[in-house]
Amino acid sequence: QVQLVESGGGSVQAGGSLRLSCASSSSIYRAYCMGWFRQAPGKEREGVAALYTGGKNTHYADSVKGRFTISQDSAKNTLYLQMNSLKPEDTALYYCASHCSGDYSRVLLASDYTYWGQGTQVTVSS
């Protein structure tokens, strides 16, 4: 069983920045993929960013490309999401996920991941 714990959420004004962290109880490089997902009230859970192949590859949703950056610190078994130029539309509960199936065409699909954190709230005001 892999435990994931997110932190770093909070409230920020539009244009501001936040950095989310996800601490894993297992080695990141054994997880195939790790990713960040978000879910806003009344909306489906959507993939935001994913990291795979030992961190050599990343993939982003079009809505966050150029503003968000996913990264890892393998020594600390920690995944990060740096969020810049935040918009009110980014408001959501953000989840960390690990151990995708290994089919890299599905790295932004929630159903492809095995382990999930509890979520951390991000609220962006205008």
Side-chain angles (χ1 to χ4, degrees), residues 5-118:
V5 180
E6 303 101 328
S7 61
S11 298
V12 65
Q13 292 186 347
S17 298
L18 286 172
R19 189 181 75 158
L20 306 184
S21 298
C22 171
S24 173
S25 65
S26 185
S27 296
I28 292 175
Y29 57 77
R30 301 187 72 182
Y32 289 103
C33 320
M34 295 191 72
W36 288 98
F37 294 78
R38 66 187 183 187
Q39 188 166 19
K43 301 291 184 65
E44 296 292 322
R45 188 171 299 188
E46 64 174 343
V48 175
L51 181 153
Y52 51 102
T53 61
K56 291 180 290 188
N57 285 289
T58 58
H59 193 73
Y60 298 91
D62 289 342
S63 60
V64 307
K65 191 172 297 183
R67 299 188 297 120
F68 291 10
T69 303
I70 188 171
S71 63
Q72 67 177 14
D73 184 337
S74 59
K76 296 181 178 180
N77 290 327
T78 300
L79 184 75
Y80 301 98
L81 184 67
Q82 179 66 46
M83 304 185 294
N84 298 326
S85 301
L86 283 162
K87 305 175 181 179
E89 305 92 90
D90 296 317
T91 295
L93 187 64
Y94 282 71
Y95 297 91
C96 173
S98 73
H99 290 70
C100 76
S101 69
D103 181 352
Y104 298 141
S105 69
R106 301 172 59 86
V107 294
L108 292 183
L109 297 179
S111 61
D112 208 49
Y113 287 78
T114 301
Y115 301 107
W116 293 84
Q118 82 288 351

